[in-house]
PDB file of all heavy atoms in Angstrom:
ATOM      1  N   TRP A 735     -17.341 104.724 119.942  1.00 98.00           N
ATOM      2  CA  TRP A 735     -17.871 105.972 120.472  1.00 98.00           C
ATOM      3  C   TRP A 735     -18.258 106.890 119.313  1.00 98.00           C
ATOM      4  O   TRP A 735     -17.417 107.215 118.479  1.00 98.00           O
ATOM      5  CB  TRP A 735     -16.847 106.664 121.357  1.00 98.00           C
ATOM      6  CG  TRP A 735     -16.543 105.942 122.629  1.00 98.00           C
ATOM      7  CD1 TRP A 735     -15.402 105.254 122.932  1.00 98.00           C
ATOM      8  CD2 TRP A 735     -17.397 105.832 123.776  1.00 98.00           C
ATOM      9  NE1 TRP A 735     -15.485 104.718 124.193  1.00 98.00           N
ATOM     10  CE2 TRP A 735     -16.703 105.062 124.739  1.00 98.00           C
ATOM     11  CE3 TRP A 735     -18.677 106.308 124.085  1.00 98.00           C
ATOM     12  CZ2 TRP A 735     -17.242 104.759 125.985  1.00 98.00           C
ATOM     13  CZ3 TRP A 735     -19.223 106.007 125.318  1.00 98.00           C
ATOM     14  CH2 TRP A 735     -18.514 105.246 126.252  1.00 98.00           C
ATOM     15  N   PRO A 736     -19.512 107.341 119.240  1.00 97.00           N
ATOM     16  CA  PRO A 736     -19.898 108.294 118.188  1.00 97.00           C
ATOM     17  C   PRO A 736     -19.385 109.689 118.508  1.00 97.00           C
ATOM     18  O   PRO A 736     -18.895 109.942 119.614  1.00 97.00           O
ATOM     19  CB  PRO A 736     -21.431 108.237 118.210  1.00 97.00           C
ATOM     20  CG  PRO A 736     -21.766 107.836 119.608  1.00 97.00           C
ATOM     21  CD  PRO A 736     -20.654 106.941 120.074  1.00 97.00           C
ATOM     22  N   PRO A 737     -19.504 110.637 117.566  1.00 97.00           N
ATOM     23  CA  PRO A 737     -19.044 112.008 117.825  1.00 97.00           C
ATOM     24  C   PRO A 737     -19.718 112.623 119.050  1.00 97.00           C
ATOM     25  O   PRO A 737     -20.851 112.286 119.393  1.00 97.00           O
ATOM     26  CB  PRO A 737     -19.439 112.751 116.536  1.00 97.00           C
ATOM     27  CG  PRO A 737     -19.436 111.683 115.491  1.00 97.00           C
ATOM     28  CD  PRO A 737     -19.942 110.451 116.171  1.00 97.00           C
ATOM     29  N   ILE A 738     -18.997 113.526 119.697  1.00 97.00           N
ATOM     30  CA  ILE A 738     -19.510 114.178 120.895  1.00 97.00           C
ATOM     31  C   ILE A 738     -20.552 115.247 120.539  1.00 97.00           C
ATOM     32  O   ILE A 738     -20.542 115.804 119.454  1.00 97.00           O
ATOM     33  CB  ILE A 738     -18.377 114.827 121.705  1.00 97.00           C
ATOM     34  CG1 ILE A 738     -17.497 115.718 120.811  1.00 97.00           C
ATOM     35  CG2 ILE A 738     -17.562 113.781 122.430  1.00 97.00           C
ATOM     36  CD1 ILE A 738     -16.418 116.464 121.545  1.00 97.00           C
ATOM     37  N   VAL A 739     -21.445 115.498 121.501  1.00 96.00           N
ATOM     38  CA  VAL A 739     -22.409 116.592 121.412  1.00 96.00           C
ATOM     39  C   VAL A 739     -22.351 117.357 122.727  1.00 96.00           C
ATOM     40  O   VAL A 739     -21.948 116.810 123.759  1.00 96.00           O
ATOM     41  CB  VAL A 739     -23.843 116.082 121.148  1.00 96.00           C
ATOM     42  CG1 VAL A 739     -23.925 115.396 119.787  1.00 96.00           C
ATOM     43  CG2 VAL A 739     -24.298 115.150 122.257  1.00 96.00           C
ATOM     44  N   PRO A 740     -22.755 118.630 122.751  1.00 95.00           N
ATOM     45  CA  PRO A 740     -22.716 119.404 123.999  1.00 95.00           C
ATOM     46  C   PRO A 740     -23.619 118.804 125.071  1.00 95.00           C
ATOM     47  O   PRO A 740     -24.691 118.265 124.776  1.00 95.00           O
ATOM     48  CB  PRO A 740     -23.203 120.786 123.568  1.00 95.00           C
ATOM     49  CG  PRO A 740     -22.906 120.854 122.107  1.00 95.00           C
ATOM     50  CD  PRO A 740     -23.114 119.464 121.588  1.00 95.00           C
ATOM     51  N   PHE A 741     -23.178 118.900 126.314  1.00 96.00           N
ATOM     52  CA  PHE A 741     -23.934 118.423 127.473  1.00 96.00           C
ATOM     53  C   PHE A 741     -24.310 119.642 128.309  1.00 96.00           C
ATOM     54  O   PHE A 741     -23.460 120.483 128.613  1.00 96.00           O
ATOM     55  CB  PHE A 741     -23.082 117.448 128.295  1.00 96.00           C
ATOM     56  CG  PHE A 741     -23.827 116.766 129.395  1.00 96.00           C
ATOM     57  CD1 PHE A 741     -24.827 115.849 129.098  1.00 96.00           C
ATOM     58  CD2 PHE A 741     -23.533 117.021 130.721  1.00 96.00           C
ATOM     59  CE1 PHE A 741     -25.519 115.206 130.122  1.00 96.00           C
ATOM     60  CE2 PHE A 741     -24.216 116.390 131.744  1.00 96.00           C
ATOM     61  CZ  PHE A 741     -25.215 115.479 131.447  1.00 96.00           C
ATOM     62  N   ASN A 742     -25.590 119.734 128.686  1.00 95.00           N
ATOM     63  CA  ASN A 742     -26.130 120.970 129.257  1.00 95.00           C
ATOM     64  C   ASN A 742     -25.784 121.126 130.735  1.00 95.00           C
ATOM     65  O   ASN A 742     -26.451 120.564 131.615  1.00 95.00           O
ATOM     66  CB  ASN A 742     -27.644 121.021 129.061  1.00 95.00           C
ATOM     67  CG  ASN A 742     -28.201 122.418 129.262  1.00 95.00           C
ATOM     68  OD1 ASN A 742     -27.509 123.320 129.728  1.00 95.00           O
ATOM     69  ND2 ASN A 742     -29.457 122.604 128.903  1.00 95.00           N
ATOM     70  N   ILE A 743     -24.734 121.888 131.007  1.00 96.00           N
ATOM     71  CA  ILE A 743     -24.356 122.267 132.365  1.00 96.00           C
ATOM     72  C   ILE A 743     -24.326 123.791 132.435  1.00 96.00           C
ATOM     73  O   ILE A 743     -23.638 124.438 131.638  1.00 96.00           O
ATOM     74  CB  ILE A 743     -22.968 121.703 132.743  1.00 96.00           C
ATOM     75  CG1 ILE A 743     -22.975 120.178 132.685  1.00 96.00           C
ATOM     76  CG2 ILE A 743     -22.562 122.176 134.140  1.00 96.00           C
ATOM     77  CD1 ILE A 743     -21.603 119.559 132.897  1.00 96.00           C
ATOM     78  N   GLN A 744     -25.095 124.340 133.356  1.00 95.00           N
ATOM     79  CA  GLN A 744     -25.162 125.790 133.506  1.00 95.00           C
ATOM     80  C   GLN A 744     -24.064 126.248 134.477  1.00 95.00           C
ATOM     81  O   GLN A 744     -24.180 126.096 135.691  1.00 95.00           O
ATOM     82  CB  GLN A 744     -26.546 126.198 134.027  1.00 95.00           C
ATOM     83  CG  GLN A 744     -27.686 125.785 133.117  1.00 95.00           C
ATOM     84  CD  GLN A 744     -27.610 126.434 131.741  1.00 95.00           C
ATOM     85  OE1 GLN A 744     -27.485 127.651 131.639  1.00 95.00           O
ATOM     86  NE2 GLN A 744     -27.678 125.623 130.697  1.00 95.00           N
ATOM     87  N   TRP A 745     -22.995 126.799 133.924  1.00 95.00           N
ATOM     88  CA  TRP A 745     -21.848 127.230 134.724  1.00 95.00           C
ATOM     89  C   TRP A 745     -21.184 128.404 134.022  1.00 95.00           C
ATOM     90  O   TRP A 745     -20.770 128.282 132.865  1.00 95.00           O
ATOM     91  CB  TRP A 745     -20.852 126.078 134.888  1.00 95.00           C
ATOM     92  CG  TRP A 745     -19.582 126.428 135.604  1.00 95.00           C
ATOM     93  CD1 TRP A 745     -18.360 126.668 135.038  1.00 95.00           C
ATOM     94  CD2 TRP A 745     -19.401 126.564 137.011  1.00 95.00           C
ATOM     95  NE1 TRP A 745     -17.426 126.931 136.003  1.00 95.00           N
ATOM     96  CE2 TRP A 745     -18.038 126.882 137.238  1.00 95.00           C
ATOM     97  CE3 TRP A 745     -20.244 126.446 138.112  1.00 95.00           C
ATOM     98  CZ2 TRP A 745     -17.506 127.084 138.508  1.00 95.00           C
ATOM     99  CZ3 TRP A 745     -19.722 126.639 139.377  1.00 95.00           C
ATOM    100  CH2 TRP A 745     -18.373 126.953 139.575  1.00 95.00           C
ATOM    101  N   ASP A 746     -21.105 129.535 134.682  1.00 93.00           N
ATOM    102  CA  ASP A 746     -20.504 130.737 134.095  1.00 93.00           C
ATOM    103  C   ASP A 746     -18.995 130.715 134.346  1.00 93.00           C
ATOM    104  O   ASP A 746     -18.500 131.226 135.347  1.00 93.00           O
ATOM    105  CB  ASP A 746     -21.132 131.990 134.713  1.00 93.00           C
ATOM    106  CG  ASP A 746     -20.727 133.261 133.983  1.00 93.00           C
ATOM    107  OD1 ASP A 746     -19.718 133.234 133.248  1.00 93.00           O
ATOM    108  OD2 ASP A 746     -21.409 134.285 134.161  1.00 93.00           O
TER     109      ASP A 746
END
Side-chain angles (χ1 to χ4, degrees):
W735 292 107
I738 51 176
V739 296
F741 188 68
N742 196 350
I743 299 174
Q744 300 298 308
W745 176 258
D746 190 341

